[in-house]
């Protein structure tokens, strides 16, 4: 069975401070990991995925297979980063790529 | 606009009623999904269809029945609504294949009184 754990339900940081949203996973095969974001009153949208190895809006995430983690980081948080962040896992193979989501972390960036 | 759309956006109904939520995507994707987000914001897959065929059917009461008339539409019909069905339901689609992103609809907030 696959599982995604986000230990922090709420996280508050001040503007300009570094932020790290934690994500750990368990999966017997090779997973693909994602971070999705939901801004207030908007739909869920992809922020980044591990295979792209890119930085989006200043956020990065590195897949650590040894620690089974995919933490999301940003060196200098901005107020517009306040949102709900979901870590998600998908099998790499298969005809339907269902996502298993973590429980989400509500990030608030304070002025 | 190219997107995933859902109707209605809000749905308030009495216990015991039957209701449907519609989802359409004009992205040309092969795979569509329904997710449920509960009051604690936890998101869980319910169903997945690939080219109009049911691929995933998680442990969902059989009062929930998805219907895919064509690969651009995946509707969710719910019979005999219960209080615990109150949630936000999200439709999503993806092109399929390795590393494909899922695109989400705006959600339908269902309230059962």
């Amino acid at each position: 069975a696959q599982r995604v754990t986000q230990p922090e339900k709420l996280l508050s940081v001040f503007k300009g401070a570094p932020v790290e949203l934690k994500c750990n996973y368990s999966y017997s095969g090779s997973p693909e990991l994602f971070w999705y974001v939901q801004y207030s009153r908007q739909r869920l949208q992809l922020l980044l995925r591990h295979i792209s190895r890119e930085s989006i809006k200043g956020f990065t995430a590195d897949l650590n297979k040894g620690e089974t983690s995919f933490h999301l980081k940003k060196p200098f948080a901005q107020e517009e980063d306040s949102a709900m962040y979901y870590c998600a896992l998908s099998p790499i193979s298969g005809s339907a790529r269902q996502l298993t989501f973590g429980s989400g972390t509500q990030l608030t960036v304070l002025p | 606009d190219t997107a995933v759309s859902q109707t209605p956006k809000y749905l308030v109904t009495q216990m015991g009623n039957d209701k449907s939520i519609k989802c359409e995507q004009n992205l040309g994707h092969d795979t569509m999904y329904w997710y449920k987000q509960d009051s604690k914001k936890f998101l869980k897959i319910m169903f997945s269809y690939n080219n109009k065929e049911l691929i995933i059917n998680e442990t969902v009461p059989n009062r929930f029945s998805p219907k895919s008339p064509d690969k651009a539409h995946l509707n969710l019909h719910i019979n005999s609504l219960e209080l615990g069905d109150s949630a936000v339901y999200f439709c999503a689609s993806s092109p399929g294949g390795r590393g494909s992103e899922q695109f989400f609809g705006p959600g339908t907030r269902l309230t059962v009184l």
Side-chain angles (χ1 to χ4, degrees), chain A:
Chain A
Q2 53 208 55
R3 179 184 288 241
V4 178
T5 303
Q6 292 180 249
E8 303 137 329
K9 191 149 182 74
L10 302 170
L11 182 62
S12 294
V13 300
F14 285 101
K15 178 181 169 182
V19 62
E20 180 180 66
L21 287 81
K22 291 186 167 44
C23 172
N24 288 90
Y25 67 91
S26 64
Y27 182 61
S28 55
S30 291
E32 183 168 8
L33 275 297
F34 304 82
W35 276 99
Y36 278 79
V37 60
Q38 189 175 25
Y39 299 102
S40 179
R41 301 180 188 280
Q42 294 188 28
R43 66 185 68 197
L44 204 64
Q45 56 188 285
L46 179 69
L47 180 62
L48 52 79
R49 53 188 156 194
H50 89 270
I51 62 169
S52 301
R53 304 180 73 82
E54 56 193 347
S55 173
I56 303 291
K57 299 185 179 183
F59 284 97
T60 58
D62 290 318
L63 180 60
N64 185 323
K65 292 185 179 179
E67 295 182 359
T68 60
S69 67
F70 188 56
H71 303 327
L72 183 68
K73 300 176 186 179
K74 184 168 182 177
F76 307 103
Q78 303 299 315
E79 288 181 69
E80 56 265 29
D81 296 328
S82 296
M84 189 73 164
Y85 290 81
Y86 290 95
C87 183
L89 174 156
S90 171
I92 281 183
S93 61
S95 58
R97 307 291 306 284
Q98 71 176 92
L99 287 168
T100 297
F101 284 92
S103 52
T105 298
Q106 179 68 49
L107 173 66
T108 302
V109 180
L110 304 166

Side-chain angles (χ1 to χ4, degrees), chain B residues 1-17:
Chain B
D1 285 341
T2 53
V4 181
S5 59
Q6 292 178 231
T7 54
K9 192 166 182 180
Y10 300 96
L11 184 53
V12 181
T13 187
Q14 300 283 337
M15 259 194 334
N17 284 349

Side-chain angles (χ1 to χ4, degrees), chain A residues 96-99, chain B residues 21 23 31-36 43-50 53-68 74-79 89-94 102 104:
Chain A
R97 307 291 306 284
Q98 71 176 92
L99 287 168
Chain B
I21 306 172
C23 177
T31 310
M32 295 184 73
Y33 310 81
W34 276 108
Y35 290 88
K36 180 180 179 181
L43 269 165
K44 191 172 160 73
I45 182 78
M46 298 175 71
F47 301 102
S48 174
Y49 268 70
N50 184 260
E53 288 189 33
L54 181 65
I55 301 297
I56 295 168
N57 182 356
E58 291 294 309
T59 309
V60 175
N62 57 15
R63 298 182 294 103
F64 290 79
S65 53
K67 297 252 185 325
S68 183
L74 181 62
N75 303 324
L76 184 65
H77 190 75
I78 316 170
N79 287 328
Y89 293 85
F90 287 98
C91 177
S93 72
S94 70
Q102 289 190 22
F104 283 79

